[in-house]
Short mmCIF file of all heavy atoms in Angstrom, two decimals:
data_model
loop_
_atom_site.label_atom_id
_atom_site.label_comp_id
_atom_site.label_asym_id
_atom_site.label_seq_id
_atom_site.Cartn_x
_atom_site.Cartn_y
_atom_site.Cartn_z
N MET X 1 82.40 101.46 104.67
CA MET X 1 83.33 100.63 104.00
C MET X 1 83.79 99.57 104.99
O MET X 1 84.16 99.91 106.15
CB MET X 1 84.50 101.52 103.51
CG MET X 1 85.41 100.80 102.61
SD MET X 1 86.81 101.75 101.96
CE MET X 1 86.19 103.42 101.72
N ASP X 2 83.83 98.33 104.52
CA ASP X 2 84.21 97.29 105.49
C ASP X 2 85.79 97.29 105.53
O ASP X 2 86.55 97.87 104.69
CB ASP X 2 83.62 95.98 104.92
CG ASP X 2 84.18 95.54 103.63
OD1 ASP X 2 84.69 96.37 102.81
OD2 ASP X 2 83.97 94.39 103.26
N MET X 3 86.21 96.49 106.54
CA MET X 3 87.66 96.42 106.86
C MET X 3 88.48 95.82 105.56
O MET X 3 89.49 96.32 105.25
CB MET X 3 87.92 95.54 108.06
CG MET X 3 89.32 95.52 108.50
SD MET X 3 90.01 97.11 108.86
CE MET X 3 89.75 97.13 110.67
N LYS X 4 87.85 94.90 105.00
CA LYS X 4 88.65 94.25 103.76
C LYS X 4 88.89 95.26 102.78
O LYS X 4 90.00 95.27 102.28
CB LYS X 4 87.78 93.09 103.29
CG LYS X 4 88.32 92.35 102.06
CD LYS X 4 87.49 91.33 101.58
CE LYS X 4 87.07 91.57 100.18
NZ LYS X 4 86.21 90.65 99.54
N THR X 5 87.89 96.02 102.36
CA THR X 5 88.03 96.96 101.32
C THR X 5 89.16 97.99 101.56
O THR X 5 89.87 98.42 100.85
CB THR X 5 86.66 97.58 100.97
OG1 THR X 5 85.66 96.57 100.77
CG2 THR X 5 86.77 98.53 99.83
N ARG X 6 89.03 98.53 102.97
CA ARG X 6 89.86 99.49 103.33
C ARG X 6 91.38 99.01 103.35
O ARG X 6 92.26 99.77 102.93
CB ARG X 6 89.61 99.90 104.81
CG ARG X 6 88.29 100.85 104.79
CD ARG X 6 87.90 101.16 106.25
NE ARG X 6 88.92 101.65 107.01
CZ ARG X 6 88.80 101.90 108.27
NH1 ARG X 6 87.71 101.64 108.98
NH2 ARG X 6 89.82 102.43 109.06
N ILE X 7 91.58 97.77 103.74
CA ILE X 7 92.94 97.27 103.74
C ILE X 7 93.46 97.16 102.35
O ILE X 7 94.57 97.48 102.03
CB ILE X 7 93.05 95.90 104.51
CG1 ILE X 7 92.83 96.11 105.99
CG2 ILE X 7 94.32 95.18 104.23
CD1 ILE X 7 92.59 94.85 106.75
N LEU X 8 92.70 96.48 101.44
CA LEU X 8 93.09 96.28 100.07
C LEU X 8 93.25 97.54 99.35
O LEU X 8 94.28 97.66 98.63
CB LEU X 8 92.07 95.43 99.37
CG LEU X 8 91.90 93.94 99.82
CD1 LEU X 8 90.77 93.26 99.15
CD2 LEU X 8 93.20 93.25 99.72
N ARG X 9 92.48 98.53 99.56
CA ARG X 9 92.75 99.82 98.96
C ARG X 9 93.93 100.51 99.40
O ARG X 9 94.70 101.06 98.58
CB ARG X 9 91.49 100.75 99.06
CG ARG X 9 90.34 100.43 98.19
CD ARG X 9 89.29 101.41 98.36
NE ARG X 9 88.06 101.00 97.51
CZ ARG X 9 86.88 101.69 97.57
NH1 ARG X 9 86.74 102.77 98.34
NH2 ARG X 9 85.97 101.28 96.79
N SER X 10 94.15 100.58 100.59
CA SER X 10 95.40 101.19 101.21
C SER X 10 96.61 100.45 100.74
O SER X 10 97.58 101.14 100.44
CB SER X 10 95.39 101.35 102.80
OG SER X 10 95.37 100.06 103.39
N LEU X 11 96.66 99.19 100.72
CA LEU X 11 97.86 98.48 100.28
C LEU X 11 98.03 98.66 98.76
O LEU X 11 99.16 98.82 98.33
CB LEU X 11 97.68 96.97 100.62
CG LEU X 11 97.83 96.49 101.98
CD1 LEU X 11 97.43 95.10 102.18
CD2 LEU X 11 99.29 96.73 102.50
N SER X 12 96.98 98.68 98.00
CA SER X 12 97.00 98.90 96.59
C SER X 12 97.60 100.25 96.22
O SER X 12 98.53 100.37 95.36
CB SER X 12 95.60 98.71 95.99
OG SER X 12 95.77 98.91 94.59
N GLN X 13 97.20 101.34 96.99
CA GLN X 13 97.75 102.66 96.75
C GLN X 13 99.14 102.72 97.02
O GLN X 13 99.93 103.43 96.38
CB GLN X 13 96.90 103.63 97.55
CG GLN X 13 95.58 103.83 96.99
CD GLN X 13 94.72 104.69 97.91
OE1 GLN X 13 95.08 105.11 98.98
NE2 GLN X 13 93.48 105.02 97.48
N ALA X 14 99.68 102.02 98.13
CA ALA X 14 100.94 102.12 98.63
C ALA X 14 101.88 101.36 97.76
O ALA X 14 103.18 101.62 97.71
CB ALA X 14 101.03 101.66 100.04
N THR X 15 101.50 100.32 97.03
CA THR X 15 102.27 99.44 96.30
C THR X 15 102.05 99.34 94.91
O THR X 15 102.41 98.38 94.24
CB THR X 15 102.18 98.00 96.94
OG1 THR X 15 100.84 97.58 96.73
CG2 THR X 15 102.51 98.02 98.38
N CYS X 16 101.46 100.34 94.16
CA CYS X 16 101.09 100.25 92.89
C CYS X 16 102.18 99.97 91.83
O CYS X 16 101.93 99.41 90.80
CB CYS X 16 100.25 101.51 92.42
SG CYS X 16 101.25 102.97 92.43
N ASP X 17 103.41 100.34 92.14
CA ASP X 17 104.54 100.05 91.26
C ASP X 17 105.41 98.98 91.62
O ASP X 17 106.48 98.79 90.99
CB ASP X 17 105.29 101.42 91.07
CG ASP X 17 105.93 101.86 92.36
OD1 ASP X 17 105.39 101.40 93.51
OD2 ASP X 17 106.81 102.62 92.43
N LYS X 18 104.93 98.20 92.66
CA LYS X 18 105.81 97.15 93.12
C LYS X 18 105.03 95.81 92.74
O LYS X 18 104.16 95.41 93.48
CB LYS X 18 106.23 97.26 94.53
CG LYS X 18 106.97 98.53 94.86
CD LYS X 18 107.19 98.77 96.23
CE LYS X 18 107.84 100.10 96.53
NZ LYS X 18 108.08 100.39 97.80
N THR X 19 105.53 95.03 91.83
CA THR X 19 104.81 93.82 91.34
C THR X 19 104.78 92.79 92.45
O THR X 19 103.82 91.99 92.63
CB THR X 19 105.39 93.27 90.08
OG1 THR X 19 106.81 92.96 90.36
CG2 THR X 19 105.31 94.27 89.04
N GLU X 20 105.82 92.58 93.30
CA GLU X 20 105.84 91.60 94.30
C GLU X 20 104.85 91.80 95.43
O GLU X 20 104.17 90.95 95.71
CB GLU X 20 107.33 91.68 94.97
CG GLU X 20 107.52 90.44 95.94
CD GLU X 20 108.93 90.33 96.44
OE1 GLU X 20 109.91 90.26 95.54
OE2 GLU X 20 109.18 90.53 97.61
N LEU X 21 104.68 93.14 95.75
CA LEU X 21 103.73 93.46 96.80
C LEU X 21 102.33 93.38 96.18
O LEU X 21 101.38 93.04 96.87
CB LEU X 21 103.96 94.86 97.35
CG LEU X 21 105.18 94.93 98.22
CD1 LEU X 21 105.51 96.33 98.57
CD2 LEU X 21 105.15 94.04 99.43
N ASN X 22 102.19 93.62 94.86
CA ASN X 22 100.81 93.48 94.25
C ASN X 22 100.38 92.05 94.36
O ASN X 22 99.20 91.71 94.50
CB ASN X 22 100.84 93.99 92.79
CG ASN X 22 100.88 95.45 92.67
OD1 ASN X 22 100.32 96.13 93.60
ND2 ASN X 22 101.39 96.01 91.65
N GLN X 23 101.25 91.10 94.16
CA GLN X 23 101.02 89.67 94.20
C GLN X 23 100.51 89.34 95.65
O GLN X 23 99.67 88.59 95.79
CB GLN X 23 102.21 88.85 93.75
CG GLN X 23 102.50 88.91 92.29
CD GLN X 23 103.70 88.19 91.84
OE1 GLN X 23 104.46 87.80 92.77
NE2 GLN X 23 103.93 88.20 90.64
N THR X 24 101.20 89.96 96.63
CA THR X 24 100.85 89.70 97.99
C THR X 24 99.45 90.24 98.27
O THR X 24 98.63 89.53 98.92
CB THR X 24 101.79 90.39 98.94
OG1 THR X 24 103.06 89.95 98.61
CG2 THR X 24 101.45 90.11 100.43
N ILE X 25 99.07 91.38 97.70
CA ILE X 25 97.65 91.91 97.79
C ILE X 25 96.63 90.96 97.24
O ILE X 25 95.71 90.69 97.77
CB ILE X 25 97.62 93.27 97.22
CG1 ILE X 25 98.46 94.30 98.04
CG2 ILE X 25 96.18 93.77 97.14
CD1 ILE X 25 98.69 95.63 97.33
N LEU X 26 96.95 90.44 96.02
CA LEU X 26 96.10 89.54 95.44
C LEU X 26 95.87 88.26 96.27
O LEU X 26 94.74 87.73 96.33
CB LEU X 26 96.52 89.12 94.04
CG LEU X 26 96.54 90.36 93.04
CD1 LEU X 26 97.07 89.84 91.71
CD2 LEU X 26 95.10 90.78 92.86
N LYS X 27 96.87 87.84 96.92
CA LYS X 27 96.89 86.62 97.71
C LYS X 27 95.91 86.95 99.04
O LYS X 27 95.00 86.13 99.35
CB LYS X 27 98.19 86.18 98.29
CG LYS X 27 99.04 85.49 97.23
CD LYS X 27 100.36 85.11 97.85
CE LYS X 27 101.27 84.58 96.77
NZ LYS X 27 102.63 84.30 97.27
N PHE X 28 96.11 88.18 99.59
CA PHE X 28 95.16 88.56 100.68
C PHE X 28 93.86 88.65 100.19
O PHE X 28 92.84 88.19 100.95
CB PHE X 28 95.68 89.99 101.27
CG PHE X 28 96.81 89.80 102.26
CD1 PHE X 28 97.89 90.69 102.02
CD2 PHE X 28 96.76 88.97 103.27
CE1 PHE X 28 98.93 90.56 103.00
CE2 PHE X 28 97.76 88.88 104.26
CZ PHE X 28 98.84 89.75 104.06
N LYS X 29 93.50 89.30 99.10
CA LYS X 29 92.21 89.29 98.55
C LYS X 29 91.56 87.96 98.39
O LYS X 29 90.40 87.65 98.82
CB LYS X 29 92.16 90.00 97.26
CG LYS X 29 90.71 90.28 96.69
CD LYS X 29 90.70 90.80 95.37
CE LYS X 29 89.32 91.08 94.84
NZ LYS X 29 88.39 89.96 94.99
N LYS X 30 92.26 87.00 97.86
CA LYS X 30 91.76 85.67 97.67
C LYS X 30 91.42 85.00 99.08
O LYS X 30 90.42 84.43 99.26
CB LYS X 30 92.85 84.81 96.97
CG LYS X 30 92.39 83.40 96.67
CD LYS X 30 93.41 82.54 95.97
CE LYS X 30 93.00 81.10 95.76
NZ LYS X 30 94.05 80.32 95.06
N ARG X 31 92.30 85.22 100.05
CA ARG X 31 91.98 84.61 101.40
C ARG X 31 90.89 85.27 102.01
O ARG X 31 90.11 84.62 102.71
CB ARG X 31 93.29 84.83 102.23
CG ARG X 31 94.47 83.87 101.78
CD ARG X 31 95.68 84.15 102.52
NE ARG X 31 96.77 83.35 101.93
CZ ARG X 31 98.03 83.47 102.16
NH1 ARG X 31 98.42 84.50 102.97
NH2 ARG X 31 98.98 82.78 101.71
N PHE X 32 90.70 86.61 101.90
CA PHE X 32 89.61 87.30 102.43
C PHE X 32 88.22 86.75 101.78
O PHE X 32 87.29 86.55 102.48
CB PHE X 32 89.60 88.83 102.17
CG PHE X 32 90.29 89.55 103.21
CD1 PHE X 32 91.35 90.39 102.89
CD2 PHE X 32 90.05 89.50 104.63
CE1 PHE X 32 92.19 91.09 103.76
CE2 PHE X 32 90.77 90.18 105.53
CZ PHE X 32 91.85 90.98 105.12
N ASP X 33 88.28 86.53 100.48
CA ASP X 33 87.16 85.98 99.84
C ASP X 33 86.79 84.62 100.25
O ASP X 33 85.62 84.24 100.50
CB ASP X 33 87.42 86.02 98.23
CG ASP X 33 87.27 87.42 97.75
OD1 ASP X 33 86.79 88.38 98.38
OD2 ASP X 33 87.84 87.56 96.56
N GLU X 34 87.82 83.80 100.44
CA GLU X 34 87.55 82.40 100.91
C GLU X 34 86.98 82.44 102.34
O GLU X 34 86.12 81.70 102.65
CB GLU X 34 88.89 81.67 100.89
CG GLU X 34 89.38 81.28 99.56
CD GLU X 34 90.76 80.62 99.47
OE1 GLU X 34 91.31 80.49 100.59
OE2 GLU X 34 91.16 80.27 98.41
N ALA X 35 87.54 83.29 103.22
CA ALA X 35 87.08 83.36 104.56
C ALA X 35 85.64 83.86 104.57
O ALA X 35 84.80 83.37 105.35
CB ALA X 35 87.98 84.30 105.40
N ASN X 36 85.41 84.82 103.80
CA ASN X 36 84.02 85.40 103.70
C ASN X 36 83.04 84.36 103.26
O ASN X 36 81.90 84.24 103.76
CB ASN X 36 83.95 86.61 102.75
CG ASN X 36 82.62 87.30 102.86
OD1 ASN X 36 82.00 87.43 103.90
ND2 ASN X 36 82.23 87.85 101.71
N ALA X 37 83.37 83.58 102.22
CA ALA X 37 82.48 82.51 101.84
C ALA X 37 82.28 81.46 102.88
O ALA X 37 81.15 80.98 103.05
CB ALA X 37 83.08 81.81 100.57
N ALA X 38 83.31 81.18 103.69
CA ALA X 38 83.25 80.05 104.66
C ALA X 38 82.40 80.67 105.83
O ALA X 38 81.51 79.87 106.40
CB ALA X 38 84.64 79.71 105.21
N ILE X 39 82.54 81.91 106.25
CA ILE X 39 81.84 82.38 107.32
C ILE X 39 80.35 82.78 106.92
O ILE X 39 79.40 82.40 107.69
CB ILE X 39 82.48 83.66 107.88
CG1 ILE X 39 83.86 83.23 108.53
CG2 ILE X 39 81.69 84.33 108.98
CD1 ILE X 39 84.71 84.36 108.92
N GLY X 40 80.22 83.60 106.01
CA GLY X 40 78.86 84.19 105.69
C GLY X 40 78.18 83.69 104.44
O GLY X 40 77.13 84.09 104.17
N GLY X 41 78.80 82.80 103.71
CA GLY X 41 78.32 82.23 102.53
C GLY X 41 78.48 83.36 101.47
O GLY X 41 78.88 84.45 101.73
N LYS X 42 78.13 82.91 100.25
CA LYS X 42 78.36 83.88 99.19
C LYS X 42 77.08 84.73 98.96
O LYS X 42 75.97 84.25 98.83
CB LYS X 42 78.58 83.18 97.83
CG LYS X 42 80.06 82.45 97.95
CD LYS X 42 80.49 82.03 96.55
CE LYS X 42 81.80 81.37 96.71
NZ LYS X 42 82.70 81.60 95.65
N LYS X 43 77.23 86.05 98.95
CA LYS X 43 76.23 86.93 98.91
C LYS X 43 76.41 87.83 97.61
O LYS X 43 77.55 88.32 97.44
CB LYS X 43 76.07 87.92 100.10
CG LYS X 43 75.76 87.14 101.41
CD LYS X 43 75.72 88.02 102.48
CE LYS X 43 75.44 87.40 103.85
NZ LYS X 43 75.44 88.25 104.97
N LYS X 44 75.46 88.05 96.90
CA LYS X 44 75.51 88.91 95.58
C LYS X 44 75.20 90.32 96.10
O LYS X 44 74.22 90.58 96.82
CB LYS X 44 74.60 88.31 94.51
CG LYS X 44 75.07 86.97 94.01
CD LYS X 44 74.24 86.73 92.81
CE LYS X 44 74.75 85.32 92.19
NZ LYS X 44 74.02 85.00 91.08
N LYS X 45 75.87 91.21 95.47
CA LYS X 45 75.62 92.68 95.82
C LYS X 45 74.71 93.16 94.77
O LYS X 45 74.70 92.83 93.65
CB LYS X 45 76.94 93.47 95.72
CG LYS X 45 77.74 93.15 96.91
CD LYS X 45 78.95 94.05 96.90
CE LYS X 45 79.83 93.79 98.12
NZ LYS X 45 81.05 94.60 98.13
#
């Protein structure tokens, strides 16, 4: 499991009932996706 997935899963489990933190997680996910696209290009699984 890659670092991005581990971070997002652990944050999601810790904050499932807190909407403000859920929004923060979504922002992190978007930033990880943008960084991944810039560094490695878009790869389909």
Side-chain angles (χ1 to χ4, degrees):
M1 187 179 326
D2 63 342
M3 183 62 96
K4 175 184 123 179
T5 306
R6 288 175 47 189
I7 291 171
L8 293 176
R9 282 187 183 172
S10 63
L11 285 173
S12 179
Q13 289 172 354
T15 63
C16 62
D17 60 339
K18 299 176 183 172
T19 57
E20 188 174 300
L21 292 174
N22 282 337
Q23 291 173 353
T24 303
I25 292 169
L26 291 174
K27 287 180 188 176
F28 277 128
K29 182 184 182 313
K30 182 179 177 184
R31 290 176 184 162
F32 275 126
D33 291 341
E34 290 173 357
N36 188 35
I39 292 172
K42 296 200 176 207
K43 297 180 183 177
K44 293 185 178 181
K45 290 184 177 180

